[in-house]
Structure formats: C-alpha cells, structure tokens
C-alpha cells in the first residue's frame, strides 16, 4: 500500500471525522466513495431533458 504524508491540519480534520477509533484508511475510503457518488450525480444530472 502506498504511503502518504499529511500535514498536521489535515490529520486534525481527519481526527474530527473519526468515529469509534475508525482507521484513517476507512475514513479516506468513505470520503472517496462520497466524492465519486457526487461526481456521478453531477455528471448524470445534465443528461435529463
């Protein structure tokens, strides 16, 4: 798995999102899923006639 380095403010923001000692990879995966879902919604939103 690739390693990334985050600045302190980013870690603080992730910590604020953590629930019940949730792992960082779980949070990041959830954020990516939300981003992808919103992207698909925006993409398909313009297809309605």
């Amino acid at each position: 798995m690739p390693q990334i380095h985050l600045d302190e403010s980013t870690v603080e923001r992730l910590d604020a999102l953590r629930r019940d000692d949730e792992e960082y990879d779980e949070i990041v995966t959830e954020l990516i899923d939300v981003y992808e879902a919103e992207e698909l919604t925006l993409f398909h939103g313009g297809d309605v006639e």
Side-chain angles (χ1 to χ4, degrees):
M1 175 181 273
Q3 292 186 356
I4 59 170
H5 299 278
L6 305 173
D7 61 38
E8 187 175 325
S9 64
T10 302
V11 173
E12 289 173 0
R13 292 174 69 187
L14 288 172
D15 283 341
L17 296 172
R18 291 176 77 185
R19 290 176 276 160
D20 302 322
D21 296 325
E22 187 175 31
E23 296 292 327
Y24 289 119
D25 62 335
E26 294 173 301
I27 296 170
V28 172
T29 299
E30 186 175 340
L31 291 171
I32 290 169
D33 290 343
V34 168
Y35 173 80
E36 289 175 342
E38 287 181 5
E39 184 178 80
L40 289 175
T41 301
L42 290 174
F43 178 73
H44 292 296
D47 293 344
V48 177
E49 292 183 25

